[in-house]
Amino acid sequence: MKLVRHAAAVAVVVTGGALALAAPASASAPTAPRSAAVAAPSEAPVAKYNGACGTGHKVIDSANMENLGTTFLTYNKTTGENCVVTVRTKPGAAVKMFARLSSKTGGTATDSGRFTTYAGPVYIEAPGECVTWEGGITTYSTKGTGHCG
């Protein structure tokens, strides 16, 4: 799986097996949208999956956005259906959120707006294809690719 993150404050680059970290030039808060670090396989999501994708869907990946919430990618092996939902850690006043899923032949499905609890679910049937999935809460976003089924 290939995960893409856009970070305004700290950049992590992996090339040829080497890891380089670039620290910010100043301690001031970034003004550009920031992306969250990807949850490592052993790292627990900061929000719980809410089952919004329905029966038969199992979480196959997730990405945290700081402590704001988590975007979940699910897959239903019986139907070949992929689903994405972005869930806030603590529901509250409506904030900008989105959930997006796309594949070459399945097109793109997006749910975006101001939500109190979660964005999505969005679905694409893409058996045998690779999907790109994204989610965001306020100025944080995440994007993952490489899940092929």
Side-chain angles (χ1 to χ4, degrees):
M1 171 183 67
K2 176 183 174 190
L3 288 170
V4 179
R5 298 285 180 244
H6 307 280
V10 178
V12 178
V13 180
V14 180
T15 40
L19 174 65
L21 295 175
S26 71
S28 64
T31 57
R34 299 187 314 172
S35 292
V38 176
S42 62
E43 187 178 320
V46 295
K48 291 184 179 180
Y49 173 62
N50 61 2
C53 292
T55 305
H57 278 268
K58 303 293 182 208
V59 174
I60 60 171
D61 207 347
S62 65
N64 293 334
M65 286 165 277
E66 295 294 324
N67 61 352
L68 295 175
T70 305
T71 298
F72 296 94
L73 172 65
T74 70
Y75 183 72
N76 183 319
K77 66 181 179 180
T78 303
T79 63
E81 187 175 63
N82 296 273
C83 177
V84 170
V85 62
T86 299
V87 182
R88 286 176 67 180
T89 304
K90 295 179 184 175
V95 296
K96 288 174 60 175
M97 296 178 65
F98 75 93
R100 182 174 301 125
L101 180 60
S102 61
S103 73
K104 280 190 174 189
T105 63
T108 300
T110 303
D111 184 27
S112 65
R114 297 180 62 80
F115 302 106
T116 60
T117 308
Y118 65 95
V122 293
Y123 301 91
I124 287 183
E125 289 184 29
E129 287 188 57
C130 299
V131 297
T132 299
W133 55 284
E134 302 174 69
I137 302 173
T138 65
T139 60
Y140 290 81
S141 65
T142 186
K143 181 176 183 178
T145 61
H147 280 283
C148 305

